Amino acid sequence: MSTVNNKAMVLAAIKQLIGERNPDAVDTYVHDDYIQHSPRVKGGKAGLKAALEQLRQLPAAEQRESPIVVVMAEDDYVLLLMQLSFMGKRLAIADLYRVADGKLAEHWDATQEEATTMIIPGVAEPNVPAENKAIVRQFFGSADVALVAQEYVGPLDFVGHTLHRIIAEGALVMVQSTCHGAVFYDIFRLQDRLLVSHWRVSQEIPAVMPHENGMV
């Protein structure tokens, strides 16, 4: 499937699974060999169905508009960055999916309580994703301030971070990393080969999870 089709499938799946809280949609959208990395959900399709049954017992989110801030995709990966109000908390959520055979095959996430509103320009900007990815990878490893625009506000030093995955679309690049017992999803926007903006969702990795797949 193309990245466009992958995006459309993931969005349709999220609408049914999370928006409609429909456990029957698992068989439609989720691969039989589904691998779960979320620290809150048991492994496999059965674990996801059980989590959706529990979710159905909770009150609906407090907002009616779509919680999705940005969707970006490269190859078999699709990232959703969301923010929503739920049970009195303001949450930022990064959901990363790997698509195989037209279905959700693997899922990673991080959830962080936050008070500020994230506004991220769309990915459809005249930049080269492969070039942007190389620039971010270089910055991630070197903290070279020559790669940073004057208006950039964000971390400059990623010493101690282990990079696990990096995807890019248009002007946006997402880096999934771990450091000091936490997982990080750092999203950068580039312009004219320089980093101009940064957003982050991070979560501490719990000592015990309901599966043996880890968070990365």
Side-chain angles (χ1 to χ4, degrees), residues 11-211:
L11 289 172
I14 293 303
K15 181 178 180 180
Q16 286 296 315
L17 296 170
I18 306 302
E20 302 297 330
R21 302 181 177 188
N22 179 11
D24 294 334
V26 171
D27 291 326
T28 301
Y29 292 104
V30 179
H31 201 283
D32 288 341
D33 298 323
Y34 182 70
I35 302 172
Q36 180 66 265
H37 296 274
S38 174
R40 301 176 303 278
V41 182
K42 293 181 180 179
K45 293 173 68 173
L48 183 56
K49 286 183 178 180
L52 292 175
E53 290 289 359
Q54 293 178 347
L55 183 62
R56 295 176 73 177
Q57 309 306 313
L58 300 177
E62 298 165 14
Q63 63 197 65
R64 294 187 177 182
E65 68 273 15
S66 172
I68 298 173
V69 177
V70 72
V71 184
M72 55 186 296
E74 183 183 19
D75 298 330
D76 296 330
Y77 291 97
V78 178
L79 174 76
L80 304 181
L81 186 63
M82 299 183 286
Q83 56 184 14
L84 69 155
S85 297
F86 184 63
M87 298 185 68
K89 298 180 180 179
R90 182 74 170 169
L91 304 175
I93 303 171
D95 278 304
L96 178 63
Y97 294 93
R98 180 176 61 84
V99 177
D101 303 323
K103 293 189 175 185
L104 306 179
E106 196 164 5
H107 170 245
W108 303 260
D109 69 4
T111 300
Q112 176 180 333
E113 290 190 35
E114 51 89 26
T116 59
T117 298
M118 293 181 290
I119 301 175
I120 302 179
V123 299
E125 299 185 23
N127 290 277
V128 182
E131 184 179 37
N132 287 340
K133 183 189 285 189
I135 292 170
V136 169
R137 190 183 294 273
Q138 179 184 349
F139 175 72
F140 198 87
S142 67
D144 185 355
V145 294
L147 301 174
V148 175
Q150 184 175 359
E151 65 267 31
Y152 173 83
V153 177
L156 296 172
D157 189 350
F158 289 89
V159 171
H161 283 250
T162 299
L163 190 155
H164 295 277
R165 290 167 186 86
I166 178 169
I167 67 171
E169 183 181 1
L172 298 181
V173 180
M174 185 283 298
V175 178
Q176 180 200 55
S177 69
T178 51
C179 182
H180 300 308
V183 63
F184 296 82
Y185 290 81
D186 288 288
I187 299 94
F188 301 89
R189 187 171 68 86
L190 289 85
Q191 183 175 339
D192 300 327
R193 298 172 56 87
L194 296 175
L195 280 66
V196 295
S197 304
H198 170 268
W199 301 266
R200 168 179 283 177
V201 179
S202 64
Q203 181 179 349
E204 184 176 340
I205 300 173
V208 178
M209 289 191 286
H211 52 70

